[in-house]
Amino acid sequence: MNLSFYSAAVGAEQQQQRLNVQSNNIANISTYGFKAQKPSFSTLMYGTIQGANNGTLTRGTGAAVTMADTDFEQGTIVPTQRALDYAIDGDGFFALYDPRTQQTSYTRDGSFIASVVERQNAAGETETVKMLSDGDGRFVLSDRGEAIELTNETEKPAIGVYTFGS
C-alpha cells in the first residue's frame, strides 16, 4: 500500500491530539489555577538510506505529539472576597498532603476551605481543629512541610501546629 497514505493518517491523528489539547485549554480558561498546555511534536522513525552514487536519502513516516508542556506563566489574579483564598504572585506552588495516600501534590489553585479534623493532643484527649485544605481531603502545607492550622475561619492561618508523616 502507498506509504503516503500512512503519513497522512498519522498526521491527521496527531493534529486531532493537538486540537484536543487546545480544546482543553479553552474549556478551562476560567478555572482558578489552570495552566494552559502546549503540544510538542517530534519525528517518527526517520532515518537515512543509501542512495545512488553513495548519496543518502531521508526516509520517515511523519510526526507525533510527544508531550503537552505546561505553560507556567503568571496569570491574572482575580479577587474572590473569600478569606481563605490565596494567589501566588510569581513562581511557586501550594503543596497539598493527602493523608489517605500519604502523597504530596502541587497546585497553583489557591481556593481553600477550613476542614475540621480530630486529633489526639499530648494528654491523649481528642480535640477538634480546623485545617486549611483544598476541599478534596488534602491539607495545605507550610514552607516547613507542616499542615496549616486555622485559629479562626475568618483569620489568616497559624502555621506549624500539625505535622503529618513519619
Side-chain angles (χ1 to χ4, degrees), residues 1 3 22 24 71 73 103 108 111 115 136 143 152 165:
M1 187 171 250
L3 289 178
Q22 290 178 341
N24 183 58
D71 179 8
E73 288 187 28
Q103 294 190 357
R108 287 185 61 93
S111 54
S115 292
D136 289 331
D143 58 354
N152 182 332

Side-chain angles (χ1 to χ4, degrees), residues 72-94:
F72 287 107
E73 288 187 28
Q74 178 69 41
T76 304
I77 295 177
V78 180
T80 63
Q81 307 307 317
R82 291 177 29 153
L84 297 179
D85 283 358
Y86 294 86
I88 298 172
D89 188 6
D91 295 337
F93 293 90
F94 295 107

Side-chain angles (χ1 to χ4, degrees), residues 19-143:
L19 288 173
N20 290 345
V21 170
Q22 290 178 341
S23 298
N24 183 58
N25 290 344
I26 292 169
N28 290 295
I29 194 102
S30 296
T31 304
Y32 293 121
F34 175 74
K35 292 298 177 188
Q37 294 185 324
K38 298 181 282 187
S40 298
F41 290 86
S42 69
T43 58
L44 291 175
M45 297 179 60
Y46 273 87
T48 56
I49 58 173
Q50 190 69 31
N53 298 327
N54 291 329
T56 57
L57 300 171
T58 303
R59 183 174 184 203
T61 58
V65 175
T66 54
M67 66 175 20
D69 296 324
T70 303
D71 179 8
F72 287 107
E73 288 187 28
Q74 178 69 41
T76 304
I77 295 177
V78 180
T80 63
Q81 307 307 317
R82 291 177 29 153
L84 297 179
D85 283 358
Y86 294 86
I88 298 172
D89 188 6
D91 295 337
F93 293 90
F94 295 107
L96 302 172
Y97 176 77
D98 189 339
R100 293 173 300 225
T101 63
Q102 297 185 353
Q103 294 190 357
T104 302
S105 58
Y106 301 92
T107 184
R108 287 185 61 93
D109 183 357
S111 54
F112 300 127
I113 63 168
S115 292
V116 177
V117 177
E118 288 186 349
R119 67 175 180 193
Q120 286 191 345
N121 60 19
E125 301 168 334
T126 300
E127 64 181 4
T128 302
V129 294
K130 293 178 183 174
M131 308 299 287
L132 191 62
S133 78
D134 68 346
D136 289 331
R138 298 177 295 187
F139 297 103
V140 182
L141 300 179
S142 71
D143 58 354

